[in-house]
Amino acid sequence: MAFPIITADQRLAEKRGIKGCILGPSGIGKTSLLWTVYADKTLFFDLEAGDLAVEGWTGDAIRPRTWQECRDFAVFIGGPNPALRDEQPYSQAHYEAVCAKFGDVSSIDKYDTVFIDSITVAGRLCLQWCKGQPQAFSERSGKPDTRGAYGLHGQEMIAWLTHLQHTRNKNIWFVGILDEKVDDFNRKVYSPQIDGSKTALELPGIVDQVITLAEIQSDDGQKYRAFINHTLNPYGYPAKDRSGRLDVIEEPHLGRLMEKIHGPVTPPSDRLTFARPAPIETQTNTEARSSASMHSRDTAHPEHKGVQ
């Protein structure tokens, strides 16, 4: 058996799905992004029962109500993980049991995109399930152990996100609420609204794209919605673009955003910079250097100041 090397041609010919997270304040229009994607190729993972914003949208939907259902749908969409034991979720045994329950997995082949709304609610369902597990109770007293429940919650959420992230041939979009807080130094701090800290901290490292749907004010004072896509942005919003194809600000149209990410690859020389930015020349710096230069000349030639 030959060593299983994936050649460059094979890798480039593979169908790649985008794994991303869209964050934004409540009411900004995150669910309404469904109107900007192909309805016949999108599966709406409706956890919030908040589809009033897309009333009339003609796409298909699933409505998990428990954490067990969330895990079942994840393994049905993403397939089994061969590294796991049979008693573990997302294993081959779990996948076969779910296929026996839901039917032929080819029924979801027509979907290119899975729109999960929202990761905030998924975290709540997960925490509710975790509070009933043995790890959430003290071995000595039998009383509820909050630390144990949140520890299990972090493990469960990361395993769920990672499994969906490995669904190579589909676009997976997680939608979540963005919290805005003020730290001890009166600075604005943004973070995803998810129970527990582990998921919010590790989520940006799991997905390819982190996008903030925010309200931006133009130079003339008008406000508009926009996608913020780069980590280094002037607004301080959480963002990340692993594709290297997006601008700092993009129009809030998910369909066209995915087309741009799937577009031609930008040469590394055009999208990667390694040099330190040149300092910006300011009038203050110029005047300071001019004054220092004159002082240097006066010190070197005292006669210029009338000294005998």
Side-chain angles (χ1 to χ4, degrees):
M1 179 179 176
F3 191 70
I5 294 177
I6 300 173
T7 65
D9 292 338
Q10 292 173 333
R11 185 173 56 82
L12 294 173
E14 287 179 338
K15 181 181 178 181
R16 292 183 182 85
I18 304 166
K19 311 303 180 297
C21 181
I22 301 174
L23 305 172
S26 181
I28 194 69
K30 300 182 294 297
T31 306
S32 298
L33 292 171
L34 280 171
W35 290 108
T36 69
V37 297
Y38 292 109
D40 59 335
K41 295 183 178 181
T42 302
L43 180 62
F44 181 23
F45 202 103
D46 184 9
L47 287 162
E48 289 196 338
D51 55 354
L52 184 61
V54 289
E55 186 177 6
W57 184 71
T58 58
D60 299 335
I62 53 177
R63 294 171 179 169
R65 298 294 302 275
T66 66
W67 181 241
Q68 292 93 323
E69 289 181 334
C70 289
R71 296 198 302 188
D72 288 347
F73 284 127
V75 75
F76 192 68
I77 293 169
N81 183 347
L84 300 177
R85 301 184 301 275
D86 286 346
E87 69 273 14
Q88 293 180 290
Y90 318 115
S91 64
Q92 181 67 38
H94 184 198
Y95 176 70
E96 292 173 358
V98 170
C99 288
K101 177 181 177 181
F102 294 151
D104 190 358
V105 72
S106 62
S107 60
I108 62 172
D109 287 347
K110 66 177 182 177
Y111 304 116
D112 291 335
T113 301
V114 180
F115 189 88
I116 302 174
D117 186 18
S118 68
I119 191 174
T120 303
V121 176
R124 293 171 188 163
L125 293 177
C126 180
L127 182 59
Q128 180 64 29
W129 178 85
C130 290
K131 287 181 177 179
Q133 303 307 305
Q135 297 93 319
F137 296 89
S138 172
E139 294 182 357
R140 291 184 177 181
S141 64
K143 295 181 179 180
D145 181 3
T146 303
R147 291 185 301 176
Y150 275 100
L152 180 60
H153 172 268
Q155 297 172 19
E156 284 286 329
M157 287 295 296
I158 296 302
W160 185 67
L161 292 168
T162 303
H163 190 79
L164 287 168
Q165 190 264 345
H166 280 84
T167 309
R168 282 190 168 272
N169 61 343
K170 294 189 186 300
N171 306 312
I172 307 290
W173 289 100
F174 303 98
V175 176
I177 297 175
L178 184 66
D179 277 341
E180 177 183 326
K181 300 178 183 178
V182 178
D183 65 9
D184 296 337
F185 300 96
N186 204 32
R187 297 174 301 188
K188 289 184 179 180
V189 179
Y190 300 96
S191 63
Q193 188 184 101
I194 307 173
D195 288 313
S197 59
K198 182 178 178 64
T199 307
L201 289 172
E202 296 193 24
L203 177 62
I206 294 174
V207 297
D208 301 318
Q209 310 291 138
V210 177
I211 296 171
T212 294
L213 178 59
E215 185 181 82
I216 305 299
Q217 185 169 324
S218 60
D219 295 337
D220 58 2
Q222 293 186 357
K223 295 182 178 180
Y224 62 97
R225 296 185 312 135
F227 282 150
I228 310 301
N229 309 291
H230 286 192
T231 304
L232 302 179
N233 64 79
Y235 314 102
Y237 290 123
K240 165 187 171 181
D241 175 29
R242 190 172 282 173
S243 73
R245 296 176 175 92
L246 302 180
D247 296 326
V248 176
I249 297 177
E250 296 280 356
E251 61 176 336
H253 191 290
L254 186 57
R256 286 197 279 265
L257 188 88
M258 288 192 289
E259 289 177 0
K260 189 169 184 179
I261 294 174
H262 283 303
V265 179
T266 305
S269 58
D270 294 342
R271 60 187 175 94
L272 298 178
T273 57
F274 305 97
R276 182 177 178 180
I280 300 176
E281 192 79 16
T282 63
Q283 183 66 25
T284 302
N285 291 341
T286 304
E287 292 175 354
R289 282 198 296 272
S290 177
S291 176
S293 178
M294 292 177 62
H295 176 73
S296 177
R297 290 198 303 270
D298 291 344
T299 303
H301 304 283
E303 64 274 20
H304 290 171
K305 299 179 64 177
V307 178
Q308 301 298 326

